[in-house]
């Protein structure tokens, strides 16, 4: 066994799906299609077999946290303040983190009736392209130094203390932070924080983002599979941009497809693969749960921290 997984329990899909009583998923295939990333594949069987047991497990962690807070309150002789249950979701570019996060948002809000669930992507904490260009970091976009980690940690601290906070908005269409636009995150029962960097904090060795998480998930897959999904997503982004000159990807639609795909492979090898191997994958064992995907996008193995 890989040393990295010594403190994880490996569970195959068949065993995992039997850990939760069979119930009907609280959403339709149409709803599922509307929230999944357009290069991802997921169906209601995946929701029932993988994500409903996961939602149940998160409920167990949440109750455990509340019991501990109550007991600590008695010990300290003061009333414990209500805090959100914060979930971190990490993994490579194009591995399906967004689908997992959006699906969890729906399942948590419908499983725990009356609960509010906020979803935040760390893309909004990237420095604007102008700043990255000025600092000669545009080719390092997505690497740890391209994020405003102080702002991200401030956000997490505000949310943890049940305060509403405004954060920047990122657009994949313009490939940049949207000027003068903010997303307001309100105090919630659950907050899902999704991004390639959510287990990292190289700018502050004394504090990690994971310090704020009550439960963390890493979405994993073989590197060759992720590269294939990345190229597939790139081609779909090109198709979407074909008639929109304002779209960042529009410029590539006017070039020969073979040339553009060669460029996409180079971007994968020189940027995304390097980021994955040096910065993202090494944080995998900080997760409480690893969801491993097979070539067909189906989750085939689950690793739960002991």
């Amino acid at each position: 066994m890989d040393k990295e997984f010594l403190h994880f329990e490996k569970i195959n899909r068949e065993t995992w799906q039997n850990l939760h009583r069979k119930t009907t998923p609280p959403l339709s295939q149409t709803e599922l299609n509307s929230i999944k990333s357009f290069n991802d594949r997921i169906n209601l069987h995946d929701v029932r077999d993988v994500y409903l047991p996961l939602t149940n497990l998160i409920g167990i962690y949440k109750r455990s946290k509340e019991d501990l807070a109550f007991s600590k309150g008695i010990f300290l002789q003061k009333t414990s303040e209500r805090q959100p249950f914060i979930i971190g979701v990490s993994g490579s570019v194009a591995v399906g983190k967004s689908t997992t996060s959006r699906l969890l948002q729906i399942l948590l809000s419908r499983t725990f009736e009356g609960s509010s669930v906020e979803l935040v992507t760390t893309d909004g904490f990237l420095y604007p392209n102008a700043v990255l260009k000025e600092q000669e970091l545009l080719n390092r976009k997505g690497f740890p130094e391209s994020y405003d980690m102080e702002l991200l940690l401030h956000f997490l601290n505000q949310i943890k203390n049940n305060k509403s906070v405004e954060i920047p908005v990122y657009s994949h269409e313009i490939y940049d932070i949207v000027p003068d636009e903010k997303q307001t995150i309100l105090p919630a029962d659950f907050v899902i924080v999704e991004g390639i960097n959510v287990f990292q904090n190289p700018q502050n060795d004394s504090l990690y983002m994971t310090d704020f998480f009550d439960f963390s998930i890493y979405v994993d897959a073989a590197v060759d599979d992720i590269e294939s999904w990345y190229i597939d997503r790139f081609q779909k982004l090109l198709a979407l941009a074909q008639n929109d000159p304002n779209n960042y990807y529009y410029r590539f639609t006017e070039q020969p497809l073979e040339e553009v795909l060669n460029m996409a492979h180079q971007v994968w090898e020189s940027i995304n693969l390097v980021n994955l191997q040096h910065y993202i994958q090494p944080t995998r064992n900080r997760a409480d749960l690893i969801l491993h995907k097979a070539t067909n996008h189906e989750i085939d193995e689950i690793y739960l921290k002991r």
Side-chain angles (χ1 to χ4, degrees), residues 86-244:
I86 303 180
I87 301 167
V89 181
S90 183
S92 171
V93 165
V95 80
K97 300 181 303 300
S98 297
T99 301
T100 292
S101 301
R102 289 191 290 260
L103 178 55
L104 276 177
Q105 184 180 28
I106 288 179
L107 293 179
L108 291 169
S109 64
R110 295 182 184 176
T111 302
F112 303 98
E113 287 185 25
S115 291
S116 53
V117 188
E118 289 277 10
L119 172 58
V120 176
T121 170
T122 61
D123 290 342
F125 296 92
L126 283 160
Y127 287 114
N129 287 353
V131 175
L132 293 174
K133 195 172 182 181
E134 186 184 314
Q135 296 180 1
E136 298 182 350
L137 289 173
L138 208 50
N139 286 335
R140 299 276 294 177
K141 193 167 182 176
F143 282 73
E145 62 268 30
S146 66
Y147 290 91
D148 187 341
M149 293 301 290
E150 292 304 314
L151 186 62
L152 187 43
L153 288 169
H154 171 73
F155 156 74
L156 287 168
N157 188 55
Q158 293 290 96
I159 281 294
K160 196 78 174 177
N161 287 293
N162 243 14
K163 296 175 182 175
S164 61
V165 59
E166 286 190 339
I167 61 171
V169 174
Y170 185 86
S171 166
H172 287 277
E173 289 187 359
I174 66 169
Y175 193 61
D176 202 353
I177 298 293
V178 182
D180 305 320
E181 192 172 323
K182 298 287 184 184
Q183 177 187 4
T184 301
I185 307 299
L186 300 172
D189 298 293
F190 294 92
V191 179
I192 301 167
V193 183
E194 176 255 312
I196 60 176
N197 66 322
V198 298
F199 298 163
Q200 306 167 12
N201 188 23
Q203 295 167 17
N204 186 339
D205 290 334
S206 63
L207 190 62
Y208 282 81
M209 287 176 65
T210 42
D211 293 339
F212 292 92
F213 298 152
D214 300 299
F215 191 79
S216 50
I217 300 165
Y218 186 95
V219 185
D220 197 20
V223 170
D224 288 347
D225 289 335
I226 303 173
E227 179 183 6
S228 170
W229 302 340
Y230 172 78
I231 300 300
D232 179 53
R233 185 178 78 171
F234 187 86
Q235 289 183 267
K236 287 184 168 72
L237 286 167
L238 288 180
L240 282 175
Q242 209 149 21
N243 301 311
D244 182 6

Side-chain angles (χ1 to χ4, degrees), residues 23-28 43-49 52 107 110:
T23 53
T24 305
L27 78 168
S28 65
N43 56 46
L44 291 177
H45 290 295
D46 299 316
V47 177
R48 189 187 62 223
D49 294 351
L52 287 183
L107 293 179
R110 295 182 184 176

Side-chain angles (χ1 to χ4, degrees), residues 5-59:
F5 297 108
L6 277 176
H7 59 323
F8 284 89
E9 181 86 27
K10 182 180 177 181
I11 308 164
N12 64 38
R13 180 172 173 138
E14 188 180 1
T15 302
W16 178 263
Q17 70 192 48
N18 289 324
L19 299 177
H20 178 73
R21 61 187 174 84
K22 293 288 183 288
T23 53
T24 305
L27 78 168
S28 65
Q29 184 66 49
T30 304
E31 277 184 292
L32 188 56
N33 291 340
S34 74
I35 63 161
K36 75 179 182 71
S37 299
F38 51 64
N39 68 314
D40 208 348
R41 278 185 243 156
I42 190 168
N43 56 46
L44 291 177
H45 290 295
D46 299 316
V47 177
R48 189 187 62 223
D49 294 351
V50 177
Y51 288 96
L52 287 183
L54 173 55
T55 305
N56 190 44
L57 179 66
I58 289 171

